[in-house]
Amino acid sequence: MNTLPTTRNAVLVVEDDPLVRLGAVDLVEDAGFVVYEAENAEDAIHMLEEHEDIFALFTDIEMPGSMDGLKLAHMVNRRWPPVAILIASGYLKLSRQDLPDEAMFFTKPYSPATIAMALNAVAPHA
Amino acid sequence: MTANEAWQGIPAITPKHHFLADGGEMGEEIGAFDWSQTGLGPMDAWPLSLKTITRLVLTSKQPMCFFWGSDLLNFHNDAFRPMLGKRVDGALGQPFKKLWADVWENLLPYTRKALSGEGTWMENLPLVMSRNGYDEQTYWTFSYSPLHGDDGGVCGLLNIVTETTKTVIDRESLNAANGALAQSIEEAQRLIEDKIHSEEQQQLLQRELSHRMKNTLSVVQAIVAQTMRHSKSLAHASSTIAGRLIALSRAQDILSETSWASANVRDVVNNALAAHMDKDERFEISGPPVHISAQQALGISLAIHELATNALKYGALSNEGGRVTIRWSIGNDGAFSFEWCESGGPAVTDPENKGFGSRLVETIVASYFSGRGHLEYAPNGIVFRLVGRLHSGPEGVATK
């Protein structure tokens, strides 16, 4: 069977607060990308396993469940190295060493325009 | 050096050859004492051994005393005098038992040992004595040695002694001071640790507070953005945003009271309705006591705000006779159900396009309960039903 090469133009939004998640989903859509959403790390991993078109992970840090956003970011960095990582949190005291290399950090609340710009910068260009 | 060198230049016979010569004050006192009245007899008749030991003791700078004869009569040198305290006058020639009556029993074992021919050495022996007219704790490092007469039999005992009272007491007070110091240091360390701990707690609290604030601001940002997005005009957006933020703020009041742990559904409902309740009889509220999480309380508050605002404009709260029934329950399977049911209002028509309000009620609030929400535009009045769980499990909803 012949499969077309996947166009990677989707962003995975991981955020446990439904309202904040809705805002994030809207900003990603407004920036012109396909969006998948998850409310915890376990769901996020399922999404990544199923959807090969994801080029960026945009995740919160504090989430319920066994894995927080930082652990998720490290795992994604290992298992899906091409996926760009954007992390947002209300916690300011976070050192560079806590984040995977190349990961971008944004404080909450964030500006939708800043996130959109960052996504455009890491999006693969056809 | 040989032993002979020690004798160099010293005449073989000392000029002052009387055995009390160079004997100090005690030498003079012994010379003046009437020994003929004692068991020892006149001094001229003393055995050579007694004279020899007397001379040895008197010419020594080391405190010494000895006891001689059947009554164990006391002899001592100048260096020993301070140890006698107020007993110093008249101590010479006194029987041991009389002079040291207060410690006689304590010393008897050592005395008997020396008289049996065997010496003793003791370090810091404690003795309570009354040499100065009052009971006094004293310490002594001393030796008792047998003294032999001319015929080789034991005639008395020699006591070479250093009083260590001051040393021992100083050492004890030093130990006590060290102990007190160690205790103070320990206490100070504990206080410092307590302080550090409470500062850490404080910092943790500050961080948590700041984090909560940022999360709340993120929610506010989302509400503002969503409202702007779906509003027909800026004026409409402005009043809608104000209403929603007030609802959010009121919900925070309840959560502050419970330290953001959980809230009772009834409190959340009453609190959210307070702004819209013109007449109590319009509302029928019923349900068991159920505690929901902080986020769920915010969700329910926002949902009630949206439903009530809509009801005030178009629904059961917009006329005189309309009513709203609010019910919630916990099912056998642990499912949480919540229902808002309007009746008696103007006839309801399905809205042409659903705004953020209905999306908020149907999708977002339901997400807080990992469940489903449904808004029904029934002709008799709007009905909202929410079914979900109180505790979100590991498999949440994740939808595109």
Side-chain angles (χ1 to χ4, degrees), chain A residues 22 26 30 35 37 110, chain B residues 208 221 226 229 359 399-400:
Chain A
L22 180 61
D26 280 352
D30 289 353
V35 61
E37 48 183 303
Y110 43 72
Chain B
E208 186 52 39
Q221 184 188 32
Q226 290 298 325
R229 214 178 170 84
R359 193 175 170 191
T399 50
K400 162 61 195 124

Side-chain angles (χ1 to χ4, degrees), chain B residues 296 299-300 303 327-329 335-340 361-375 384-389:
Chain B
Q296 289 169 339
I300 288 277
R327 277 191 288 254
W328 65 90
S329 61
F336 174 70
S337 309
F338 181 89
E339 190 181 74
W340 167 287
V361 168
E362 283 194 297
T363 314
I364 297 168
V365 174
S367 288
Y368 285 114
F369 292 88
S370 307
R372 286 172 291 106
H374 180 66
L375 202 52
F384 167 66
R385 282 195 189 86
L386 165 72
V387 179
R389 291 194 309 270

Side-chain angles (χ1 to χ4, degrees), chain A residues 2-124:
Chain A
N2 211 358
T3 52
L4 288 166
T6 316
T7 317
R8 291 168 64 241
N9 70 334
V11 176
L12 174 60
V13 169
V14 189
E15 164 68 59
D16 64 316
D17 188 291
L19 261 173
V20 178
R21 188 167 69 239
L22 180 61
V25 165
D26 280 352
L27 92 80
V28 173
E29 279 179 343
D30 289 353
F33 302 107
V34 171
V35 61
Y36 299 103
E37 48 183 303
E39 66 168 36
N40 58 47
E42 285 82 357
D43 289 343
I45 290 163
H46 290 310
M47 289 283 169
L48 281 157
E49 284 167 347
E50 280 174 30
H51 304 283
E52 290 181 1
D53 53 341
I54 296 170
F55 73 89
L57 166 76
F58 178 34
T59 183
D60 184 20
I61 290 185
E62 300 78 27
M63 290 185 293
S66 58
M67 199 188 270
D68 69 8
L70 273 184
K71 283 187 186 153
L72 173 66
H74 282 285
M75 186 191 220
V76 169
N77 192 40
R78 275 196 310 273
R79 280 186 64 181
W80 293 277
V83 171
I85 294 167
L86 290 76
I87 298 173
S89 172
Y91 277 124
L92 285 177
K93 289 276 179 69
L94 207 65
S95 68
R96 189 64 237 178
Q97 298 101 283
D98 296 332
L99 306 175
D101 294 342
E102 316 273 311
M104 289 174 274
F105 180 76
F106 304 90
T107 55
K108 276 175 140 186
Y110 43 72
S111 149
T114 307
I115 305 295
M117 241 158 67
L119 286 175
N120 275 315
V122 296

